[in-house]
Amino acid sequence: MTISADRIYSLEGKGLKLTTAEDIAPYLEELRSFENLEEIRLNGNTIGAEAAKALADVLRTKTTLKASDEVKESVVAICDALSELPNLIELNLSDNAFGPLGAEAMSDFLKKHTGLQILKLNNNGLGIQGGTTIAQSLLECQAECEKLGKEPSLHTLICGRNRLENGSAPAFSKAFAALKTLREVRMPQNGIRPEGIIELVAGLSDNSKLAVLDLQDNTFTHTGSQALAGALSNWSLLETLNVGDCLLGPTGGRLVIEALKDSETLKIVNLQYNEIEHDGALALAESLRKLKALENIELNGNRFDAESNAVEMIKAALSENDLDDDILGSLSDMEELTDDEDDDEAEDEEEEEEEETSKPEKETTGPKTASDVLEDNLADLVTQMKEQLNV
């Protein structure tokens, strides 16, 4: 990768000893004013823990920074410095485009730093490879904790907008299942499809203390929704569920909604833009009666009328719990079914009705007598003869 010199900031080979935030301050001032930064070179210097933290704060603002060997070296330098801080509990490297190379660079730190509680890697361009590296590192950290006879410390993982896709889901699932300590997981906008969602939910099911789950803008469909619905009862402390823009679909949406009644601790629920229809809204009204701690629910962009009786029933359910219907978000962008979709649904309903009417009626007065059976057989025979004679 060739980068023009005017987009490179370099301290390469200067032999600087930057221990404190004050030591590195002049260089950070230069970095802050450096526009369109794509590459930073820090090799050949000594960067202490305090200086590394100050550097990390500035790097978070450099969204044009690109992944390269030099970026890998800078991440290594930062993590090496941070490894000297045994009491470090949070690492936030969000909005730095270091990609898979950056993930590889921080791998050793993540494997060994058993005290890390909060890891924020949002919008880092990790991709499948980088995501898998991070997940495997967390799994190895759990193994290290086991050797030391201690419970893993990590309870918060934020890893959105990284194109993790299905390919990284098995590795994250294994890490989640091994950790069992997660309380907050946010992985929105990662291009994860149903198969990957099933993997993630399976791993998260073992984290009984989960309080926040944000998988917004991934793709669930029926199968992913079914997996989520089945797992909700495992999270008795769940307070926030964000599955907006996840294409739950009519049947999948209803499955999730019906399962919400087992999540009585829920405070925030986002179900926006999921093709939930009228029957799903009716089911939601029933589930809401159990959600007495609810503070906000988002339903905009679904496929039922904002003026329908289902919405009135939802408001009534909120009122039963002494909750103001203001917690129901805007319904200004509800989606209407097209004429073709209306026709398809009508046809489906007609077919179901025909199937019902074609079924023989069940006797309610006890077993048939021999004469009843003979009469039925004769009637069937007459019908067959008429059909053969076209009568």
Side-chain angles (χ1 to χ4, degrees), residues 268-339:
I268 298 171
V269 180
N270 185 352
L271 294 169
Q272 290 187 121
Y273 299 95
N274 274 311
E275 297 188 354
I276 296 168
E277 297 182 355
H278 188 80
D279 62 334
L282 290 173
L284 179 61
E286 186 63 30
S287 291
L288 285 178
R289 291 188 168 87
K290 299 288 187 70
L291 307 186
K292 300 183 185 300
L294 199 64
E295 296 176 0
N296 178 254
I297 181 165
E298 298 290 344
L299 297 171
N300 206 14
N302 283 298
R303 306 172 79 175
F304 54 88
D305 191 338
E307 305 298 327
S308 67
N309 66 322
V311 174
E312 292 305 313
M313 292 178 69
I314 287 172
K315 292 179 178 179
L318 294 174
S319 179
E320 285 179 23
N321 292 334
D322 295 324
L323 299 174
D324 197 312
D325 60 21
D326 284 347
I327 71 173
L328 180 61
S330 170
L331 299 177
S332 62
D333 194 29
M334 303 302 283
E335 183 181 350
E336 295 183 6
L337 294 177
T338 65
D339 291 340

Side-chain angles (χ1 to χ4, degrees), residues 111-116 141 144-145 148 150-154:
K111 291 175 185 177
K112 297 173 183 176
H113 198 83
T114 57
L116 191 66
C141 182
E144 183 67 21
C145 288
L148 297 172
K150 60 178 288 189
E151 183 179 80
S153 300
L154 190 72

Side-chain angles (χ1 to χ4, degrees), residues 3 59 71 83 88 101 108 119 121 133 144 153 195 213 219 245 257 277 283 291-292 313 320 353 355:
I3 297 176
L59 289 181
V71 170
S83 65
L88 180 72
L101 289 174
D108 284 344
L119 178 59
L121 297 173
T133 298
E144 183 67 21
S153 300
E195 298 83 359
L213 179 59
T219 303
D245 297 279
I257 284 168
E277 297 182 355
L291 307 186
K292 300 183 185 300
M313 292 178 69
E320 285 179 23
E353 289 175 3
E355 288 174 4

Side-chain angles (χ1 to χ4, degrees), residues 145-371:
C145 288
E146 197 170 310
K147 288 179 185 176
L148 297 172
K150 60 178 288 189
E151 183 179 80
S153 300
L154 190 72
H155 60 70
T156 297
L157 174 66
I158 298 176
C159 196
R161 299 179 66 191
N162 272 303
R163 299 304 303 174
L164 299 177
E165 302 182 1
N166 284 0
S168 67
F172 275 109
S173 181
K174 289 178 183 177
F176 294 163
L179 286 167
K180 296 183 175 63
T181 54
L182 292 169
R183 301 202 298 263
E184 179 175 351
V185 175
R186 297 183 186 270
M187 302 177 74
Q189 299 179 5
N190 272 306
I192 304 171
R193 298 190 62 77
E195 298 83 359
I197 294 296
I198 292 169
E199 293 269 10
L200 294 181
V201 169
L204 287 170
S205 293
D206 294 318
N207 292 264
S208 60
K209 297 179 182 178
L210 190 68
V212 177
L213 179 59
D214 180 357
L215 294 173
Q216 183 176 13
D217 202 10
N218 291 293
T219 303
F220 280 58
T221 69
H222 178 84
T223 53
S225 301
Q226 190 173 38
L228 176 62
L232 281 171
S233 61
N234 296 329
W235 304 321
S236 60
L237 302 177
L238 192 66
E239 295 183 356
T240 298
L241 177 64
N242 185 352
V243 287
D245 297 279
C246 284
L247 196 64
L248 303 183
T251 57
R254 179 159 184 166
L255 285 174
V256 172
I257 284 168
E258 290 175 343
L260 290 179
K261 64 180 180 293
D262 297 321
S263 302
E264 297 184 12
T265 54
L266 274 172
K267 295 180 179 179
I268 298 171
V269 180
N270 185 352
L271 294 169
Q272 290 187 121
Y273 299 95
N274 274 311
E275 297 188 354
I276 296 168
E277 297 182 355
H278 188 80
D279 62 334
L282 290 173
L284 179 61
E286 186 63 30
S287 291
L288 285 178
R289 291 188 168 87
K290 299 288 187 70
L291 307 186
K292 300 183 185 300
L294 199 64
E295 296 176 0
N296 178 254
I297 181 165
E298 298 290 344
L299 297 171
N300 206 14
N302 283 298
R303 306 172 79 175
F304 54 88
D305 191 338
E307 305 298 327
S308 67
N309 66 322
V311 174
E312 292 305 313
M313 292 178 69
I314 287 172
K315 292 179 178 179
L318 294 174
S319 179
E320 285 179 23
N321 292 334
D322 295 324
L323 299 174
D324 197 312
D325 60 21
D326 284 347
I327 71 173
L328 180 61
S330 170
L331 299 177
S332 62
D333 194 29
M334 303 302 283
E335 183 181 350
E336 295 183 6
L337 294 177
T338 65
D339 291 340
D340 288 341
E341 288 169 329
D342 279 331
D343 291 342
D344 289 341
E345 289 197 356
E347 287 175 10
D348 290 340
E349 289 173 3
E350 288 175 7
E351 288 175 4
E352 289 174 4
E353 289 175 3
E354 288 174 4
E355 288 174 4
E356 289 297 322
T357 55
S358 65
K359 293 178 183 177
E361 293 184 4
K362 295 181 181 179
E363 293 292 333
T364 57
T365 57
K368 289 185 177 182
T369 63
S371 60

